[in-house]
């Protein structure tokens, strides 16, 4: 059977990359657990500090107080350190490993620290917007999320290594 012009055009055009959104969400779910453990450590330090500062009653840190906002900021920074150090050291967080997801720069290089922090910050905004930046990958021509595009990074799913 002779190839038609239409089948020849399909073979010549590169395949559209996969969005990886389901894999990204699974990795986020896995990464949620070590991040919660880190948040618990930070919260414990704040609670002990609050107690030692003279609040020896059964009071908690007041909701929406400056101290609580500082606690939230510290938790966000600790989660960012976990993510950016993991991405920088091996291209993966713990949650990305089982799904063989690997983060690189746009040309395959190790991303810079500013690019990784930009990725983390934009990813946070994306999650706060109901995951809109993740869902964007379904319509993007290169299947990139907001944080991929704005940080100049790419997420790829690698093949299984033979044993």
């Amino acid at each position: 059977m002779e190839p038609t012009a239409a089948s020849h055009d399909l073979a010549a055009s590169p395949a559209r990359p996969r969005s990886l959104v389901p894999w990204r969400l699974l990795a986020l779910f896995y990464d949620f657990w070590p991040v919660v453990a880190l948040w618990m450590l930070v919260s414990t330090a704040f609670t002990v500090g609050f107690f030692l500062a003279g609040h020896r009653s059964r009071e908690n840190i007041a909701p929406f107080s400056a101290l609580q906002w500082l606690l939230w900021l510290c938790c966000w920074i600790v989660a960012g350190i976990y993510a950016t150090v993991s991405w920088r050291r091996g291209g993966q967080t713990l949650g990305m490993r089982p799904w063989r997801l690997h983060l690189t720069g746009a040309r395959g290089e190790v991303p810079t620290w500013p690019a990784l922090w930009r990725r983390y910050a934009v990813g946070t905004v994306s999650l706060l917007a109901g995951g809109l930046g993740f869902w964007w990958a379904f319509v993007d021509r290169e299947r990139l999320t907001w944080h991929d595009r704005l940080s100049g990074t790419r997420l790829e799913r690698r093949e299984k290594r033979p044993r």
Side-chain angles (χ1 to χ4, degrees):
M1 181 173 193
E2 202 170 307
T4 64
S7 65
H8 180 68
D9 289 344
L10 287 175
S13 65
R16 189 167 182 192
R18 294 170 50 197
S19 65
L20 302 175
V21 170
W23 303 115
R24 291 173 190 261
L25 295 177
L26 285 169
L28 273 175
F29 178 74
Y30 271 46
D31 280 325
F32 177 72
W33 303 108
V35 168
V36 165
L38 291 170
W39 288 346
M40 290 172 74
L41 290 173
V42 170
S43 297
T44 300
F46 267 74
T47 302
V48 168
F50 189 70
F51 180 78
L52 294 176
H55 301 277
R56 298 186 192 278
S57 66
R58 293 188 175 256
E59 290 178 37
N60 287 329
I61 298 172
F64 303 106
S65 66
L67 191 58
Q68 189 186 43
W69 285 108
L70 181 61
L71 172 59
W72 280 95
L73 178 63
C74 289
C75 287
W76 184 79
I77 289 170
V78 165
I81 290 169
Y82 161 75
T84 57
V85 168
S86 297
W87 292 330
R88 180 75 180 185
R89 287 188 65 216
Q92 297 175 303
T93 60
L94 290 174
M96 294 164 70
R97 289 180 184 177
W99 312 113
R100 301 184 316 274
L101 298 175
H102 193 82
L103 183 76
T104 64
R107 291 174 294 286
E109 75 282 7
V110 174
T112 64
W113 287 108
L116 294 174
W117 277 101
R118 194 167 34 258
R119 177 183 178 79
Y120 177 69
V122 174
T124 301
V125 171
S126 172
L127 285 174
L128 292 175
L132 190 57
F134 285 87
W135 306 124
W136 180 258
F138 285 121
V139 298
D140 187 90
R141 70 182 179 285
E142 295 178 52
R143 303 292 188 168
L144 300 175
T145 60
W146 288 353
H147 43 285
D148 290 331
R149 200 158 281 289
L150 294 173
S151 66
T153 59
R154 303 290 181 265
L155 196 65
E156 60 186 32
R157 186 154 192 252
R158 296 199 170 160
E159 296 297 321
K160 244 184 197 177
R161 292 183 191 165
R163 291 184 182 215

